[in-house]
Amino acid sequence: MGLMSEALTQILIPLAAIIGIGFALLQWVLVSKIRVSSGSKLESEYNNKLIEEDEQEEGIDSDDVVAKCADIQKAISQGATSFLFTEYKYLGIFMVVFGAIIFLFLGSVKSFSTESEPCTFNKENICKPALANAFFTTIAFLLGGLTSALSGFLGMKIATYANARTTLEARKSIGKAFITAFRSGAVMGFLLAANGLLVLYISINLFKLYYGDDWEGLYESITGYGLGGSSMALFGRVGGGIYTKAADVGADLVGKVERNIPEDDPRNPAVIADNVGDNVGDIAGMGSDLFGSYAESSCAALFVASISSIGSNHDYSAMSYPLIISSMGILICLITTLIATDMFEIKNVTEIEPSLKRQLLISTVLMTVGIAFVNFFALPSEFTIFDFGSEKVVKNWHLFFCVSIGLWAGLVIGYTTEYYTSSAYSPVQEVADSCKTGAATNVIFGLALGYKSVIIPIFAIAASIYVSFSLAAMYGIAVAALGMLSTIATGLAIDAYGPISDNAGGIAEMAGMSHSIRERTDALDAAGNTTAAIGKGFAIGSAALVSLALFGAYVSRAGIKTVDVLSPKVFIGLIVGAMLPYWFSAMTMKSVGSAALKMVEEVRRQFNSIPGLMEGTAKPDYATCVKISTDASLKEMIPPGALVMLTPLIAGTFFGVETLAGVLAGSLVSGVQVAISASNTGGSWDNAKKYIEAGATEHARSLGPKGSDAHKAAVIGDTVGDPLKDTSGPSLNILIKLMAVESLVFAPFFATHGGLLFKLL
C-alpha cells in the first residue's frame, strides 16, 4: 500500500476541487468590480482622471462610450446564450436516444439477465450482472454530457461578461486590460478542471454503493463518463466552429475585401454574429473539448488500473492516482495564475506573449515536483499492470517518468506551435513576405508551414509513447495523457484569453474608440491567436495519447490478444480509418463554405439595399446574419457528428472487433497529422495578416498599410485558413478520441455479438 490512507484520499480530492471552484469565483468577483453601466457623476469624473491623457484630448465623452460598450456586450451575450440553448436542446434529445442505444446494446450482452457472473478478467471473482453495467454506463454517459455542456456554457457566460470590461480597462493601460482578460480565462480554466474532477469523484463514490468490491464493473461503467463528455464536445465544437467561421468569412470577404472597411466595423451586418461566434466556437467548444480529453484519460487510466493488481488488491489511494494527479494540477495552476496576475505587471505590448508562455513553463516545472510528491505518497512501491493478457511489474518511480514525459511533451508541442504561429518568428514572417506576390504564394507558403509544423510534435508524442509504454504498458500511456492535461487550468486560461481579447477589440471598434485603444486590443488579440493555437496543440497532442490509451483498454476489453496488421480484417480497417479524418474535414469545410456563401449574399444585399448604411447613418440588420449562422450550424453539425458516432458501431457490429481495432489505429495515425497541420496553417495565415496590419517592424511596413495588395492577399489567406484552424482542425482531435472511447464502451457487445458479416461468410 502507498503511504496515503483511504480516508485522506477521500478528503484531499474533493478539497482540491472545491479550492479550484473557490479560486475561480474569486477571480470572477475581481473581474466584476469593473463597472460597465455608467455610475454617478462623481464616479465618472474619477474614472476620466484615470484614463490616460491622450484619450481626453480627443474629447470622446466617456459615458457615451461605456453605454455603447454595454449595449454591444448585451447583444453578443444574448446571441451566444440563445444559440447555446438551441444547440443544447437538440443535443438533449441526442443524449437520450444515444443513452438508450448504450443501454440496449450493453444489456443484450448477456440477454438482459440479472444474474451475477464470473468477472471478465479475474474469473475466480463474482461480478455484478451485465445489465447493471449497461444501466450505470448510461448514467455515467448522461453525467459526462451534462458536465461537458455545463463547462462550455459557463465558459461562454464568463467570456461574454468579460469582453467589454477588457475593452474599458484598455483605456487605462495595457496591463490592466491583460489582467482582466487573463483572469476571466482563469475563471473558465479552474471551473472546468474542478467540475470535471468533482463530478467524476462523486460518480465513482455513488456507483461504489452498488458495486461494492466489484471494481472491474465499476470502472468499466465509469468509461461512459468520458463518452458523454466527448460526444457533447464533438457537436459543440463542430456546431460552434461552423457558426463562428460562417460569420467570420462572410464579414471579411464583403467588409474588408469588397468594401474596404476595417474589421469589426459597426456598419458590417455580420459583425455581431462574428463576435458571438468567437464565444460559442472557441470558448464553449474548446471548453467541452478539453473537458472530454480530461474525462477520457482519467477513465482510461482507471479502467486499466481496475484490471491490474491495484484493482484486485483494492488499494484505494493507488486506484485514485489519476484523480490525485488532477487535484495536484489544480493547486499548481493556482500558484501559477497568482504569479501572472499579482507578481508581474505588464507595461508594454511586447511583454504579453512572453508572459503567457512563462505561465506554461512555470506550471510545467512546478507540476513535475508535484508529480514526484504524489508518486511517493499515493502509490505502493511496486505493483503489477495488466499488459494484454500478461502482468507487468511496475515500480512507483516508473510512473513518475510516464506522467512527466507527457507533461513535458505538452510543453514541447505548445512551444513548437507558438514558433510556427507567432508573428515574432521567421515562419510567419516568411508567409507575410510571400503576400507581396499575391494570394497564391501566400497559400502555398502557409500550407507548407502547416505540414512542416507537424514534425516536432509527432516526435514528441512518439517519444512519450515509447517511454511510457515500455515503463508501464497501457497504464503508462493513460497517465502520460493525464500528465499533459494536468495543467489544464492554466492551459485553458491562456486559451480562453484569446477569444476574450478578440471580442474586446471588436467592441472597441464598434464603440468607436480611439486608434490607440484599438492598437492595444490588437496586440492582446495577436497574442491571443498564438495562445489559442497553443491550446489547440495541447488538445491534439493529448487526444493522440488519450486515444492510444483508450485503444489499449478497448483491445484488452474486447479480448484481442494481438492486433495483426497483416491480417486482411485489420488492414482494411486501418486504411478506412486513415480515410475518416479526410471525410470528416471535407464535411466540415464544405459546411463552412456553404454557410459563408449565404452570409456573403446577405451582407451584400444589406449594403446594396439599405440606404445610408455605408455612410453610417442607417443601422444594419444584425439579427438576420445571426439567424443564418445559427440555422446553418445546427443543420450542418449533424452529418459530421453522425459519421463519428456511427463508424465504431457499424465497424464493430458488422466487421468485428479486429477490424474496428484497425479503424481506430488508422484514424489516430492520420487524424493527428491532419489536425496539427490544419490548425497551424490557419493560425499562421491569421497572424501574417495581423503582422502586416500592425506594421510594427520595417519589414511589416514595407508590405502595406491596410488595403494594400499584400494586405488583401493576406486577408484571402486568413479567410481560407479560418475553417481549417477553427472548424476542421480542432474537431479532428475529438473524432480520434470519441471513436476510441465509444469502442471501449461498446466493447462487451462487439466481443459477444460483433462481426456479423464475417460470421455469415
Side-chain angles (χ1 to χ4, degrees), residues 61-77:
D61 179 14
S62 95
D63 280 356
D64 181 41
V65 170
V66 174
K68 261 189 184 164
C69 284
D71 286 346
I72 298 162
Q73 179 196 16
K74 202 167 150 200
I76 295 173
S77 184

Side-chain angles (χ1 to χ4, degrees), residues 432-447:
D433 195 56
S434 71
C435 293
K436 282 193 295 210
T437 46
T441 39
N442 181 23
V443 169
I444 294 168
F445 269 76
L447 286 172

Side-chain angles (χ1 to χ4, degrees), residues 313-597:
N313 299 339
H314 292 94
D315 179 349
Y316 186 81
S317 70
M319 189 67 220
S320 304
Y321 178 69
L323 300 177
I324 303 171
I325 287 276
S326 307
S327 316
M328 191 61 160
I330 291 178
L331 302 178
I332 296 285
C333 290
L334 198 148
I335 299 167
T336 313
T337 303
L338 287 176
I339 293 175
T341 51
D342 298 288
M343 284 174 65
F344 293 106
E345 198 192 342
I346 288 190
K347 297 192 170 58
N348 196 333
V349 174
T350 49
E351 293 170 22
I352 301 171
E353 224 168 273
S355 165
L356 292 165
K357 265 170 68 184
R358 199 165 41 220
Q359 290 287 292
L360 280 181
L361 188 61
I362 295 170
S363 59
T364 304
V365 172
L366 292 176
M367 189 64 203
T368 311
V369 182
I371 296 166
F373 261 91
V374 172
N375 274 30
F376 181 68
F377 288 110
L379 290 173
S381 57
E382 189 173 285
F383 46 95
T384 61
I385 289 288
F386 182 87
D387 181 16
F388 302 123
S390 59
E391 295 284 326
K392 184 179 176 73
V393 176
V394 177
K395 296 189 168 40
N396 63 5
W397 59 267
H398 286 170
L399 284 189
F400 168 75
F401 284 107
C402 294
V403 182
S404 305
I405 194 161
L407 178 66
W408 284 89
L411 188 73
V412 169
I413 293 173
Y415 271 28
T416 310
T417 311
E418 195 243 1
Y419 173 73
Y420 280 106
T421 55
S422 161
S423 55
Y425 304 101
S426 61
V428 170
Q429 290 172 7
E430 280 171 8
V431 171
D433 195 56
S434 71
C435 293
K436 282 193 295 210
T437 46
T441 39
N442 181 23
V443 169
I444 294 168
F445 269 76
L447 286 172
L449 176 145
Y451 297 146
K452 196 173 162 194
S453 69
V454 176
I455 302 167
I456 298 172
I458 291 296
F459 277 122
I461 293 171
S464 44
I465 288 171
Y466 185 76
V467 171
S468 47
F469 192 87
S470 6
L471 289 174
M474 272 303 159
Y475 189 65
I477 290 177
V479 294
L482 261 177
M484 197 179 278
L485 291 165
S486 59
T487 52
I488 184 175
T490 294
L492 256 174
I494 66 172
D495 192 30
Y497 155 87
I500 292 172
S501 318
D502 192 351
N503 261 219
I507 292 175
E509 179 75 52
M510 285 185 270
M513 291 191 167
S514 70
H515 183 63
S516 58
I517 304 283
R518 252 320 259 184
E519 278 182 351
R520 285 178 192 164
T521 54
D522 273 349
L524 289 172
D525 181 18
N529 258 345
T530 303
T531 58
I534 293 177
K536 284 166 196 145
F538 263 94
I540 295 163
S542 62
L545 291 175
V546 168
S547 44
L548 185 56
L550 291 165
F551 175 65
Y554 157 75
V555 169
S556 311
R557 184 60 189 87
I560 307 171
K561 287 283 175 278
T562 53
V563 179
D564 178 10
V565 184
L566 290 176
S567 96
K569 277 186 190 176
V570 176
F571 195 81
I572 57 166
L574 263 178
I575 200 159
V576 170
M579 174 273 297
L580 289 172
Y582 292 91
W583 189 357
F584 180 82
S585 299
M587 285 174 157
T588 47
M589 297 280 288
K590 192 140 188 272
S591 303
V592 172
S594 57
L597 197 69

Side-chain angles (χ1 to χ4, degrees), residues 149-447:
L150 188 71
S151 303
F153 186 74
L154 287 176
M156 182 281 300
K157 274 298 193 206
I158 304 294
T160 50
Y161 184 81
N163 49 19
R165 288 174 163 79
T166 306
T167 312
L168 295 174
E169 289 293 275
R171 298 184 306 170
K172 298 177 190 168
S173 76
I174 187 95
K176 286 197 164 63
F178 171 78
I179 283 185
T180 306
F182 184 75
R183 277 210 166 113
S184 323
V187 176
M188 177 184 179
F190 283 94
L191 273 183
L192 190 133
N195 271 342
L197 179 64
L198 199 58
V199 176
L200 184 57
Y201 168 80
I202 293 170
S203 316
I204 291 174
N205 279 322
L206 289 178
F207 285 17
K208 224 196 199 129
L209 298 176
Y210 170 80
Y211 277 103
D213 278 350
D214 170 16
W215 282 19
E216 198 179 289
L218 164 64
Y219 290 104
E220 188 176 302
S221 54
I222 282 288
T223 52
Y225 183 69
L227 177 61
S230 256
S231 36
M232 280 305 251
L234 175 75
F235 290 105
R237 213 28 164 148
V238 173
I242 293 169
Y243 185 106
T244 170
K245 290 304 119 179
D248 195 358
V249 171
D252 282 359
L253 283 180
V254 183
K256 285 199 222 167
V257 179
E258 291 177 12
R259 296 277 168 168
N260 258 340
I261 56 177
E263 189 164 1
D264 296 317
D265 190 295
R267 292 171 292 181
N268 194 330
V271 67
I272 294 282
D274 184 6
N275 281 297
V276 169
D278 288 333
N279 294 300
V280 296
D282 293 350
I283 296 253
M286 190 68 185
S288 294
D289 177 5
L290 278 171
F291 164 76
S293 272
Y294 165 75
E296 283 157 340
S297 54
S298 306
C299 292
L302 290 168
F303 175 76
V304 177
S306 72
I307 57 179
S308 305
S309 71
I310 299 175
S312 44
N313 299 339
H314 292 94
D315 179 349
Y316 186 81
S317 70
M319 189 67 220
S320 304
Y321 178 69
L323 300 177
I324 303 171
I325 287 276
S326 307
S327 316
M328 191 61 160
I330 291 178
L331 302 178
I332 296 285
C333 290
L334 198 148
I335 299 167
T336 313
T337 303
L338 287 176
I339 293 175
T341 51
D342 298 288
M343 284 174 65
F344 293 106
E345 198 192 342
I346 288 190
K347 297 192 170 58
N348 196 333
V349 174
T350 49
E351 293 170 22
I352 301 171
E353 224 168 273
S355 165
L356 292 165
K357 265 170 68 184
R358 199 165 41 220
Q359 290 287 292
L360 280 181
L361 188 61
I362 295 170
S363 59
T364 304
V365 172
L366 292 176
M367 189 64 203
T368 311
V369 182
I371 296 166
F373 261 91
V374 172
N375 274 30
F376 181 68
F377 288 110
L379 290 173
S381 57
E382 189 173 285
F383 46 95
T384 61
I385 289 288
F386 182 87
D387 181 16
F388 302 123
S390 59
E391 295 284 326
K392 184 179 176 73
V393 176
V394 177
K395 296 189 168 40
N396 63 5
W397 59 267
H398 286 170
L399 284 189
F400 168 75
F401 284 107
C402 294
V403 182
S404 305
I405 194 161
L407 178 66
W408 284 89
L411 188 73
V412 169
I413 293 173
Y415 271 28
T416 310
T417 311
E418 195 243 1
Y419 173 73
Y420 280 106
T421 55
S422 161
S423 55
Y425 304 101
S426 61
V428 170
Q429 290 172 7
E430 280 171 8
V431 171
D433 195 56
S434 71
C435 293
K436 282 193 295 210
T437 46
T441 39
N442 181 23
V443 169
I444 294 168
F445 269 76
L447 286 172

